[in-house]
Amino acid sequence: MLSLDQLAAFVSVVDLGSFTAAADKIGLTQPAISLQVKLLERRLGVRLIERVGRRAQPSPAGIELLPHARRILDDCAMAEEVMTPYREGSAGRVRIGTGGTASIHLLPRAIAAAKKRMPELEIIVRIGNTDDMLRDIEANRLDLAVVTLPASGRSLEIEPFHDDEILAVAPKDSSIPSGGPDAEFMRDKTLMLYEGGNTRRMTNEWFINAGIRPEPSMEFGSVEAIKELVAAGLGWSLLPAMALKSGNLDDLATSPVRPRLARQLGMVLRRDKHLTKGLREVIKCLREFRGNREQEA
């Protein structure tokens, strides 16, 4: 493989016409420059430098090599230049996996805060189910996942960072019991529940603990779709409070349930994950989201 140092020595000798001048430019001794050129000639099996009087000039083979050597050195210089922001920590890429609700109601605020501090940071968000995201974390296809706990994996580090209460959601002007509805009350309603995932598992357990088997009339993979259907008066639901902080809520009534039902969100990454500045910034912003929610409460 060609040596960049040898190519740089060769180009400098050609440009300056002297081994001594090239040595002064590069900061080496004249014998060291001569050795670099000789090693390059040996590697290629041709003579690259000829002396014409007191001036060093490229041989025919050297003339042929020169544009290639310049292009290689220029490309390497450009490669070092584009790495500068990463070395200084002002750029980078963070790949985040999460569920649909968090991608709409949680991540935008954290991403905006991270991008404000690191404008050149590239953030990629992938939406999926928890099991797939944990596999992608373990395979290093994702840098960070935000999931509903519990989550587990021998190679994973899991940090809970936000409690999200599950609320009863009803059409506007619905009659809601004082103190909130319980499972017995909700059983008699037309229920539209989120399908799959830890959030649904917790909802099912809430009913089962009261001795009731939940039988939803409809199941959806979109919290936003459920909100629209409830607003249209088609039924009731149990949804994360996070999803009920924004959007058109004029046609909805919400209430805590009895007993209280909440899910816990956590950040997941590999235990041996190298924490780049960008990844540290995103994690910091997610932790700040927890602090901001506590202040709002």
Side-chain angles (χ1 to χ4, degrees):
M1 184 176 295
L2 296 178
S3 162
L4 295 179
D5 290 338
Q6 293 168 9
L7 289 173
F10 163 69
V11 171
S12 294
V13 170
V14 171
D15 288 345
L16 299 174
S18 164
F19 283 85
T20 301
D24 290 339
K25 176 184 177 182
I26 296 177
L28 297 174
T29 64
Q30 189 272 334
I33 288 292
S34 298
L35 177 61
Q36 294 279 29
V37 174
K38 286 180 181 179
L39 290 173
L40 181 59
E41 290 176 331
R42 187 180 302 167
R43 175 71 176 83
L44 296 174
V46 296
R47 189 170 183 81
L48 298 172
I49 299 292
E50 296 177 342
R51 287 195 176 276
V52 179
R54 300 184 61 182
R55 185 170 181 83
Q57 293 186 349
S59 68
I63 293 172
E64 190 76 23
L65 175 64
L66 190 59
H68 298 284
R70 292 192 193 282
R71 185 164 58 251
I72 291 170
L73 294 172
D74 287 345
D75 286 345
C76 289
M78 291 177 62
E80 287 193 20
E81 183 178 344
V82 298
M83 290 296 103
T84 299
Y86 295 88
R87 185 170 61 248
E88 295 176 347
S90 60
R93 182 182 70 172
V94 177
R95 302 163 299 174
I96 307 173
T98 191
T101 304
S103 71
I104 297 172
H105 301 285
L106 186 154
L107 280 183
R109 181 185 295 189
I111 290 173
K115 291 282 286 183
K116 185 176 181 179
R117 298 168 187 173
M118 295 181 63
E120 296 182 52
L121 180 65
E122 179 186 5
I123 298 178
I124 299 171
V125 178
R126 187 184 308 162
I127 300 172
N129 62 58
T130 296
D131 290 341
D132 287 343
M133 285 186 286
L134 295 183
R135 280 193 292 268
D136 284 345
I137 287 287
E138 290 182 326
N140 204 36
R141 290 189 291 265
L142 288 174
D143 302 307
L144 176 72
V146 176
V147 302
T148 301
L149 301 180
S152 61
R154 287 180 297 177
S155 64
L156 302 179
E157 180 175 329
I158 300 166
E159 177 185 335
F161 76 99
H162 178 64
D163 286 329
D164 190 20
E165 188 169 12
I166 305 297
L167 302 178
V169 186
K172 185 180 179 181
D173 299 327
S174 295
S175 176
I176 300 178
S178 176
D182 57 15
E184 186 71 30
F185 179 88
M186 294 294 292
R187 176 172 61 178
D188 296 330
K189 301 299 180 184
T190 300
L191 285 178
M192 294 177 288
L193 298 180
Y194 188 78
E195 62 177 353
N198 284 339
T199 301
R200 175 59 182 276
R201 178 187 58 77
M202 293 172 57
T203 301
N204 287 347
E205 289 178 354
W206 183 77
F207 279 102
I208 291 170
N209 288 339
I212 297 170
R213 180 185 177 89
E215 296 181 357
S217 300
M218 291 178 277
E219 297 177 297
F220 298 88
S222 167
V223 169
E224 298 305 307
I226 294 174
K227 285 166 60 177
E228 292 297 322
L229 292 168
V230 172
L234 298 180
W236 289 49
S237 188
L238 293 166
L239 296 177
M242 179 186 298
L244 301 166
K245 297 288 186 181
S246 61
N248 183 12
L249 306 177
D250 293 341
D251 294 325
L252 296 175
T254 63
S255 169
V257 297
R258 295 184 293 116
R260 184 178 185 270
L261 178 60
R263 65 177 187 166
Q264 191 172 49
L265 300 182
M267 290 181 274
V268 183
L269 66 162
R270 285 181 61 98
R271 294 185 186 277
D272 59 357
K273 184 69 179 178
H274 171 63
L275 297 181
T276 63
K277 183 176 180 180
L279 183 53
R280 290 197 306 270
E281 198 62 57
V282 171
I283 292 172
K284 179 181 178 182
C285 291
L286 287 169
R287 289 171 178 160
E288 289 175 353
F289 177 89
R290 171 181 59 193
N292 292 336
R293 285 302 190 193
E294 289 172 351
Q295 291 177 11
E296 291 174 7

